[in-house]
Amino acid sequence: MLAKTDDDRRISVGLFRKVVASPEIGALVGAAVVFVFFSLISPDVFPNIVGLSRVLDPAATLGIMAVAVGLLMIGGEFDLSSGVMTGTTGLLVGLLAVHAGINLWVAIVTSFAFAMLVGFVNGYMVVKTKLPSFIITLATFFVFRGVNVGVTRLVTNQVRVAGIDTIPGFELARTLFDTEFQFAGATFRTSLIWWIVIALIASWILLRTKVGSWIFAVGGNPDAARASGVPVKAVKIGLFMTTAGAAWLVGMMTAFRLRSALSSQGVGQEFVFIIAAVIGGCRLTGGYGSVIGASIGAMIFGITRVGITFAGWDTDWFFSFLGIMLLVAVLLNTYTQKKAAEVHTPKAPPEPEPARSHPETPS
Amino acid sequence: MNEPIIQLKHISKQFGTVIALRGISTEIYAGEVTCLLGDNGAGKSTLIKILSGFHRPTEGEYLFQGKPTSFASPREALAAGIATVYQDLAMVPLMSIWRNFFLGSEPEIGRGPFRRYDIAFAKRTVKEELGKMGIFIRDPEQPVGTMSGGERQSLAIARAVYHGAKVLILDEPTAALGVKQAGVVLKYVVQAKARGLGVIFISHNPHHAFVVGDRFVILRRGRIYGAWHKEGLDRDVLVRAMSGSEELDALKHELDEFARRDVQK
Ligand SMILES: Nc1ncnc2c1ncn2[C@@H]1O[C@H](COP(=O)(O)OP(=O)(O)OP(=O)(O)O)[C@@H](O)[C@H]1O
Ligand SMILES: [Mg+2]
């Protein structure tokens, strides 16, 4: 059935197909499937407000990272140092405030400045050397992995910086970054509010500002973006700094929540962030994706982790589950992206076309 | 024609061991169409990429409006009013038509932190501008990668014409186009010239070049082979110069030979 439009070659695209073509749809379906699955397994504890609050707890910090990592992936890059940076930033605050006696807020700001510097250096090295960010940030990852343990052991003779809760200002900092609050009979954490606000702002920037267009463009075709006047290097460096900034925020949340900073904190998490973003529909090669999708990817992670615990299974299975989900998501997203293109190029044209590009040419 | 809008003095460009351009000196005037002609690999695209800020010259001086210039990026050249349709780097295929059209110079509304992309304006404008070229798009949301080659090229041209303020550079703009759209492009070139823009037009089609060109600069193997004004220039002379007369004579001879054999059969 044809709808009348200003171009008679256009078939009206059904709502269903438009929905199928949106980058988040795979993640949304996936979230529904795992939710129903674990609800059937643990019908008494899982599908209620307490279960939801448990799911949202790990999802929040992961979601913040997935949003930033998702933006970076849409911009065509990876950051393997994003996990370890959640540890480094927390350790830095602990070392400065507990061991060097520096004012807590000064330590927090210093840690932020340090994260910005690391993000800048990552980005600068990637745009200058034109090497894959995978390699550059793998190097950063290992450098900090060593530094985190080495410096912590040197200063504390332990593998953790303890006593963060003894510093003046701790309670306020904890309230700001990650504390509990009651809502509808369950316990939630402030990290959840941070996550929602960050995801909404990031999505607004991506879809409604020029910087968002630039992010899609530098990931989709950096040469064309540069030729069109997009400051490609600045955008990429900015995305690495955003990721490092998110790692700082999560580092603060973790350190103030645990009241101490572990030197192994965050190691291995970088892949979980990437998985969440990929499940959320972010294209591995850049230029396509959604931060709302990445957030739903984080939800899937939370549902699975809590679901496995509630089901009484060994948590070792969690990673296998995540691996399978990644595979399914990649297959599904490849399919959706193909569909996205098809929405605009209907297979069967509604009518036989005359030679359309040069109608007045006699043939 | 007093002062040239662009003046090049002894421009050279080297890519590693490849010398793409040597000692290029020429002028581009406002209100004139300069046709840049030459064989494949002659260095035409490289030259215009220097003009558009995409490449930096290895040597030589680039004067824009009389002042020595060194554009660090296409963004700076665009800000100075130089818009370019590149032969090879056109668009971001996964991105929508309207985002591509305004990429790098997005219209904005709102103040302070609420400053945002004026999406409604962008969608409306891109439909209008493409409509003027005789391209009627189905949906401005359509990814550029799903457009036909000619539609994509029309989009690139419409974009450059819309954004170009002082200089318009078109690198083989008519190559993928149908007769009607090619005609529209030639009309655009003439209109831009009438508006006082300096136009640089690259083409392998001597008929297109001869129709719109005022000056003809021929490049051969990275050097300037010659430059002519249209007055008193014969189309055949231009065609011969474009392909190198010996080569053309050889080609003509070969074709005549084929024709003769066909008749004999
Ligand atoms: N980025 C690059 N790196 C190395 N060599 C290059 C580069 N760009 C162009 N060249 C070389 O410079 C020479 C001139 O190329 P250019 O693209 O300017 O030719 P052209 O005149 O535009 O040809 P055509 O008519 O085929 O478009 C070629 O030999 C090409 O291989
Ligand atoms: Mg060329």
Side-chain angles (χ1 to χ4, degrees):
Chain A
M1 151 96 212
L2 292 178
K4 199 70 198 149
T5 60
D6 47 357
D7 181 345
D8 54 5
R9 282 183 292 131
R10 178 183 170 183
I11 335 176
S12 85
V13 170
L15 181 65
F16 173 74
R17 300 196 64 189
K18 274 221 161 123
V19 168
V20 163
S22 72
E24 305 89 353
I25 194 68
L28 210 53
V29 171
V33 168
V34 288
F35 180 78
V36 169
F37 177 73
F38 285 111
S39 296
L40 291 176
I41 288 182
S42 328
D44 302 330
V45 282
F46 195 73
N48 57 41
I49 187 86
V50 177
L52 181 69
S53 73
R54 292 279 300 274
V55 165
L56 289 173
D57 180 4
T61 46
L62 171 62
I64 291 169
M65 290 310 295
V67 165
V69 167
L71 284 177
L72 183 67
M73 275 179 71
I74 296 170
E77 305 293 346
F78 288 101
D79 185 357
L80 293 187
S81 69
S82 57
V84 79
M85 280 299 290
T86 65
T88 308
T89 48
L91 287 165
L92 187 59
V93 166
L95 290 172
L96 288 175
V98 178
H99 291 271
I102 289 171
N103 175 287
L104 180 63
W105 299 99
V106 176
I108 288 171
V109 172
T110 308
S111 177
F112 179 72
F114 178 75
M116 289 293 102
L117 179 71
V118 172
F120 179 83
V121 170
N122 271 339
Y124 187 80
M125 285 196 294
V126 167
V127 299
K128 275 293 156 192
T129 62
K130 299 195 167 87
L131 288 167
S133 49
F134 202 83
I135 291 301
I136 301 274
T137 58
L138 186 64
T140 325
F141 170 26
F142 271 74
V143 167
F144 282 111
R145 190 180 177 170
V147 165
N148 283 5
V149 184
V151 172
T152 307
R153 217 195 283 276
L154 214 62
V155 175
T156 67
N157 280 321
Q158 286 181 308
V159 290
R160 58 197 270 263
V161 179
I164 291 180
D165 50 353
T166 62
I167 313 163
F170 168 79
E171 282 308 328
L172 182 57
R174 192 168 200 265
T175 307
L176 179 63
F177 288 111
D178 196 15
T179 195
E180 304 88 356
F181 66 91
Q182 298 295 319
F183 178 77
T187 309
F188 293 87
R189 307 192 67 91
T190 31
S191 51
L192 175 64
I193 296 168
W194 278 100
W195 174 32
I196 293 170
V197 171
I198 287 171
L200 291 177
I201 292 176
S203 191
W204 185 78
I205 289 175
L206 189 63
L207 299 176
R208 294 276 178 273
T209 72
K210 68 173 180 191
V211 174
S213 255
W214 294 355
I215 293 172
F216 280 116
V218 301
N221 185 349
D223 281 338
R226 192 170 101 83
S228 306
V230 174
V232 174
K233 289 178 183 171
V235 172
K236 293 214 169 188
I237 292 173
L239 287 172
F240 277 104
M241 291 173 76
T242 305
T243 308
W248 166 82
L249 183 60
V250 171
M252 295 305 101
M253 289 171 172
T254 313
F256 290 113
R257 175 180 188 168
L258 302 179
R259 299 161 195 272
S260 65
L262 291 171
S263 58
S264 62
Q265 182 68 45
V267 171
Q269 289 292 300
E270 59 284 335
F271 285 113
V272 179
F273 307 154
I274 292 173
I275 289 172
V278 171
I279 289 177
C282 295
R283 194 166 169 259
L284 277 163
T285 44
Y288 188 84
S290 138
V291 294
I292 299 299
S295 296
I296 301 172
M299 272 300 282
I300 293 180
F301 174 95
I303 293 170
T304 312
R305 193 158 108 179
V306 174
I308 285 178
T309 316
F310 278 171
W313 299 346
D314 200 323
T315 46
D316 296 340
W317 291 105
F318 172 62
F319 289 103
S320 312
F321 214 95
L322 216 56
I324 291 168
M325 232 135 44
L326 175 65
L327 199 61
V328 172
V330 169
L331 295 175
L332 203 69
N333 287 341
T334 315
Y335 176 78
T336 359
Q337 280 165 32
K338 223 173 73 191
K339 274 273 172 274
E342 274 176 22
V343 161
H344 295 286
T345 46
K347 269 198 194 105
E351 63 201 272
E353 295 182 53
R356 61 179 159 85
S357 39
H358 24 111
E360 65 266 57
T361 317
S363 47
Chain B
M1 295 311 142
N2 22 46
E3 186 176 277
I5 187 157
I6 286 176
Q7 199 174 2
L8 299 179
K9 291 181 180 170
H10 311 292
I11 291 280
S12 297
K13 179 68 191 178
Q14 212 168 328
F15 295 107
T17 55
V18 180
I19 303 170
L21 294 172
R22 333 169 205 218
I24 302 289
S25 299
T26 190
E27 293 90 37
I28 308 296
Y29 291 92
E32 226 183 58
V33 177
T34 305
C35 288
L36 201 52
L37 310 169
D39 284 347
N40 292 126
K44 306 179 295 294
S45 297
T46 307
L47 183 60
I48 61 101
K49 280 182 186 169
I50 289 174
L51 297 181
S52 73
F54 194 86
H55 289 320
R56 274 172 188 263
T58 315
E59 272 171 38
E61 221 182 329
Y62 177 1
L63 293 102
F64 181 69
Q65 296 186 312
K67 285 186 225 43
T69 309
S70 176
F71 294 125
S73 67
R75 189 170 184 79
E76 289 182 14
L78 275 158
I82 303 176
T84 309
V85 175
Y86 296 90
Q87 184 180 14
D88 50 351
L89 331 140
M91 299 276 158
V92 185
L94 282 170
M95 230 164 66
S96 66
I97 295 175
W98 62 271
R99 281 187 191 272
N100 266 291
F101 189 89
F102 283 102
L103 185 60
S105 36
E106 291 80 1
E108 292 186 295
I109 44 168
R111 299 166 160 270
F114 301 106
R115 222 171 151 67
R116 61 195 183 277
Y117 207 138
D118 191 348
I119 294 173
F121 172 81
K123 287 185 181 175
R124 202 170 56 234
T125 308
V126 74
K127 265 196 134 152
E128 282 168 16
E129 295 301 316
L130 280 174
K132 285 183 200 165
M133 294 195 74
I135 304 280
F136 297 98
I137 51 172
R138 296 151 225 193
D139 178 2
E141 273 314 332
Q142 182 184 348
V144 159
T146 65
M147 295 173 96
S148 82
E151 285 173 336
R152 251 196 320 265
Q153 199 162 15
S154 298
L155 176 62
I157 293 160
R159 176 173 77 169
V161 169
Y162 184 84
H163 293 113
K166 289 181 179 147
V167 176
L168 180 62
I169 301 173
L170 304 166
D171 193 349
E172 299 195 28
T174 53
L177 298 188
V179 175
K180 182 175 163 198
Q181 272 75 19
V184 173
V185 171
L186 297 181
K187 199 178 80 195
Y188 273 21
V189 168
V190 174
Q191 278 172 354
K193 166 184 147 176
R195 288 210 316 268
L197 271 76
V199 182
I200 300 167
F201 182 82
I202 299 181
S203 179
H204 284 292
N205 185 329
H207 306 290
H208 288 170
F210 201 78
V211 170
V212 295
D214 297 303
R215 264 180 87 235
F216 302 90
V217 177
I218 296 188
L219 285 186
R220 190 167 295 171
R221 301 221 210 127
R223 291 177 191 277
I224 291 200
Y225 174 75
W228 295 270
H229 265 279
K230 192 174 191 171
E231 296 91 64
L233 186 67
D234 189 67
R235 189 185 301 219
D236 286 343
V237 175
L238 184 70
V239 172
R240 285 168 78 92
M242 264 177 83
S243 46
S245 47
E246 319 87 61
E247 287 134 69
L248 191 75
D249 287 342
L251 183 67
K252 189 168 183 299
H253 187 73
E254 220 171 290
L255 289 173
D256 288 346
E257 195 70 13
F258 274 122
R260 201 162 50 80
R261 259 188 257 154
D262 274 354
V263 172
Q264 279 172 355
K265 267 183 200 156

